[in-house]
């Protein structure tokens, strides 16, 4: 191997490494053999000692007849120990023989590998290939770890998105339920308000029928009575701003008057109240863009798509081109069975409810704006529709 080192420089290191390995194996086998030999020697010495002790015990057996039986027992035990020691020695010898054969075989393999190094010059390349294979394995393991980390990251992101989606859906559902409950509450309140107003407005109509029935029983009045009744008819329109207040005095004053006079007084007052309100109002639908005018504010309600409405408010002192005092985009529209419309807007603890009446003549104003704070009525304003 030393002679071939001149021709194979690249293989010098592998050869040295093989020599070193062979030397280590030989030394290890030698130590094991020495250890086993020492153990065998000790076992032989022990067996000789046991034999000597057995002989001495046999010699004393002549004088001590009672101890003859125990002597036989000792011989039997000695024989067992000797056989056991012999078996152990044979076993150790066999193991040593196997170790020696293995060492000889390793030495032979080392010699054969060193001998083949002369003819194999390309053995350096496999070493490089091994390095390359190791590098490839490392890169592959690194790529797999990276892919696994990316998959875990994606799974975590997916779980996070699903959680956020579930939370968002839960919030949206809770919000929708809340809005639905508020709508139903407002709808019920509007229905109660409408019924109460209808009942209130029905009272003067029933009272107006009483003079007509009494007037049918009376005779036709004279011209003088007609002349006296005319000033009373002129007084009635003065109090027309509130229809409920106008009809009450008319009933009291018209009762003694005949039927023709009642017709000339009652009919003009009803037509006059309608002509006053009709020019200030317009037909409003859920798709309308309109203004509500109050004594303090101008409010624009505008549909912005998706069933939502925009609420824009200015004070009376400002113009429509100025910056609004308040803008809300949370509006919804509720349609009542009677054709009335309710536009509701929320702003933290405040709720802005804009009611537009389909029949303005049955109400004190064409529309109204009610502001609730924490569920309690905070402000109530009458409004005109433009």
């Amino acid at each position: 191997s030393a002679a071939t080192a001149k021709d194979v420089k690249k293989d010098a290191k592998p050869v040295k490494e093989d020599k070193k390995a062979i030397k280590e194996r030989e030394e290890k086998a030698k130590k094991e053999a020495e250890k086993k030999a020492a153990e065998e020697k000790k076992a032989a010495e022990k067996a000789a000692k046991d034999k000597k002790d057995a002989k001495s015990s046999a010699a004393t057996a002549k004088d001590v007849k009672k101890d003859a039986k125990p002597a036989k027992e000792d011989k039997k035990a000695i024989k067992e120990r000797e056989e056991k020691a012999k078996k152990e020695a044979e076993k150790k010898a066999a193991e040593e023989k196997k170790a020696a054969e293995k060492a000889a075989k390793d030495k032979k393999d080392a010699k054969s590998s060193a001998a083949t190094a002369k003819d194999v010059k390309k053995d350096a390349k496999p070493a490089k290939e091994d390095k390359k294979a190791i590098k490839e394995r490392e890169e592959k393991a690194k790529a797999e770890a990276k892919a696994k980390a990316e998959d875990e990251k994606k799974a975590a992101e997916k779980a996070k998105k699903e959680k956020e989606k579930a939370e968002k859906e839960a919030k949206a559902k809770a919000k929708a339920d809340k809005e639905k409950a508020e709508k139903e509450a407002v709808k019920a309140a509007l229905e109660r308000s409408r019924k109460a107003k209808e009942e209130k407005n029905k009272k003067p109509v029933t009272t107006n029928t009483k003079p007509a029935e009494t007037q049918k029983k009376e005779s036709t009045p004279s011209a003088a009575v007609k002349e006296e009744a005319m000033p009373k008819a002129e007084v009635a329109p003065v109090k027309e701003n509130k229809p409920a207040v106008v009809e009450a005095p008319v009933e009291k004053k018209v009762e003694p008057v005949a039927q023709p006079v009642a017709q000339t007084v009652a009919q003009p007052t009803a037509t006059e109240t309608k002509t006053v309100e009709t020019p200030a109002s317009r037909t409003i639908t859920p798709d309308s863009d309109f203004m509500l005018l109050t004594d303090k504010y101008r409010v624009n309600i505008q549909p912005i798509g998706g069933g939502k409405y925009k609420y824009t408010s200015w004070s009376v002192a400002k113009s429509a081109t100025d910056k609004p005092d308040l803008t809300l985009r949370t509006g919804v529209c509720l349609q009542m069975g009677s054709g009335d419309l309710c536009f509701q807007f929320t702003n933290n603890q405040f709720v802005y409810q804009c009611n537009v009446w389909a029949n303005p003549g049955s109400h004190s104003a064409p529309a109204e704006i009610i502001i609730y704070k924490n569920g309690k009525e905070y402000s109530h304003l009458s409004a005109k529709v433009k």
Side-chain angles (χ1 to χ4, degrees):
S1 62
T4 55
K6 297 178 183 180
D7 300 329
V8 187
K9 292 181 180 180
K10 293 181 182 179
D11 298 334
K13 193 172 180 179
V15 171
K16 286 180 181 178
E17 288 177 358
D18 292 337
K19 282 183 178 181
K20 191 176 179 180
I22 292 163
K23 192 175 180 181
E24 286 176 355
R25 284 195 297 274
E26 287 176 353
E27 287 176 356
K28 188 176 179 181
K30 191 176 179 182
K31 285 179 181 180
E32 288 177 355
E34 288 175 355
K35 188 177 178 181
K36 287 178 182 178
E39 288 175 355
E40 287 176 358
K41 190 177 179 182
K42 285 180 181 180
E45 288 175 356
K46 188 177 180 182
K49 190 178 179 181
D50 293 338
K51 191 174 182 181
K52 191 176 179 181
D53 292 338
K55 283 180 180 180
S56 62
S57 61
T60 56
K62 294 176 182 180
D63 301 327
V64 186
K65 291 181 180 181
K66 292 181 180 180
D67 297 333
K69 194 173 181 179
K72 287 180 181 179
E73 290 177 359
D74 291 338
K75 283 181 181 180
K76 190 178 180 181
I78 291 163
K79 192 176 181 180
E80 287 177 355
R81 284 197 297 273
E82 286 177 356
E83 287 177 357
K84 188 178 180 181
K86 191 177 179 181
K87 286 179 181 179
E88 288 179 354
E90 289 174 356
K91 187 178 180 181
K92 287 178 182 178
E95 288 176 355
E96 286 176 0
K97 189 177 179 181
K98 284 180 181 179
E101 287 175 356
K102 188 179 180 182
K105 189 178 180 182
D106 293 340
K107 191 174 181 180
K108 189 177 180 181
D109 292 339
K111 285 181 180 180
S112 63
S113 63
T116 54
K118 297 177 182 179
D119 302 327
V120 183
K121 294 181 180 180
K122 295 179 181 180
D123 291 341
K125 191 173 181 182
K128 289 182 181 178
E129 287 178 356
D130 292 338
K131 286 181 180 179
K132 189 177 180 182
I134 292 164
K135 191 175 180 181
E136 287 177 354
R137 283 195 299 273
E138 288 176 353
E139 288 177 354
K140 188 178 180 181
K142 193 175 180 181
E144 288 176 354
K146 190 177 179 181
K148 189 177 180 181
E150 287 178 355
D151 293 338
E152 289 176 354
K153 189 178 179 182
K154 286 179 181 178
E157 288 176 355
K158 188 178 179 181
K160 189 178 178 182
K161 286 181 179 178
E162 288 177 353
K163 187 178 178 182
E164 288 176 354
K165 187 179 179 182
E167 288 176 354
K168 193 175 180 181
E169 288 176 353
K171 286 180 181 178
K173 188 178 179 182
K175 189 177 179 182
D177 292 341
K178 188 179 178 182
E179 288 179 356
K180 187 178 180 181
E182 289 177 355
K183 286 179 182 179
E184 289 176 353
V186 171
K187 192 173 181 180
L190 280 173
E191 189 66 23
R192 287 195 298 271
S193 176
R194 185 182 64 78
K195 286 181 179 179
K197 287 181 180 180
E198 284 180 356
E199 289 175 0
K200 188 177 178 181
N201 292 329
K202 284 178 182 179
K203 289 179 181 179
V205 175
T206 55
T207 53
N208 283 335
T209 56
K210 290 180 181 180
E213 291 173 359
T214 55
Q215 286 163 9
K216 287 179 182 179
K217 296 177 181 179
E218 294 177 358
S219 59
T220 305
S222 60
V225 177
K226 289 182 182 179
E227 288 176 2
E228 289 177 1
M230 291 303 291
K232 294 178 183 178
E234 291 174 0
V235 175
V238 176
K239 297 181 180 180
E240 280 179 353
N241 292 330
K242 295 182 179 180
V245 178
V246 173
E247 291 174 357
V250 171
E251 290 171 6
K252 290 179 182 179
K253 293 180 181 180
V254 177
E255 280 180 2
V257 183
Q259 187 175 356
V261 178
Q263 290 176 355
T264 55
V265 175
Q267 289 178 359
T269 54
T271 53
E272 283 171 3
T273 54
K274 288 183 180 179
T275 54
V276 170
E277 291 179 355
T278 304
S281 62
R282 52 178 277 203
T283 303
I284 301 300
T285 65
D287 298 327
S288 300
D289 182 356
F290 60 96
M291 296 285 291
L292 295 179
L293 306 177
T294 69
D295 296 337
K296 296 181 180 180
Y297 306 104
R298 289 199 312 277
V299 178
N300 174 238
I301 296 177
Q302 177 185 3
I304 56 176
K308 295 292 182 181
Y309 293 83
K310 180 181 176 183
Y311 177 100
T312 311
S313 174
W314 297 266
S315 62
V316 176
K318 292 183 179 180
S319 64
T321 57
D322 294 334
K323 185 179 178 181
D325 298 324
L326 179 65
T327 302
L328 303 174
R329 296 176 179 271
T330 58
V332 294
C333 178
L334 300 174
Q335 298 187 47
M336 308 301 291
S338 59
D340 299 334
L341 297 178
C342 173
F343 297 88
Q344 186 179 350
F345 303 85
T346 55
N347 183 23
N348 297 327
Q349 71 269 30
F350 291 95
V351 177
Y352 297 80
Q353 183 177 312
C354 303
N355 300 325
V356 181
W357 312 118
N359 185 14
S362 60
H363 299 273
S364 59
E368 63 181 7
I369 299 175
I370 306 173
I371 302 172
Y372 296 93
K373 183 179 180 181
N374 296 324
K376 295 182 180 180
E377 188 173 316
Y378 180 74
S379 177
H380 195 145
L381 303 171
S382 297
K384 293 181 181 180
V385 180
K386 185 177 179 181

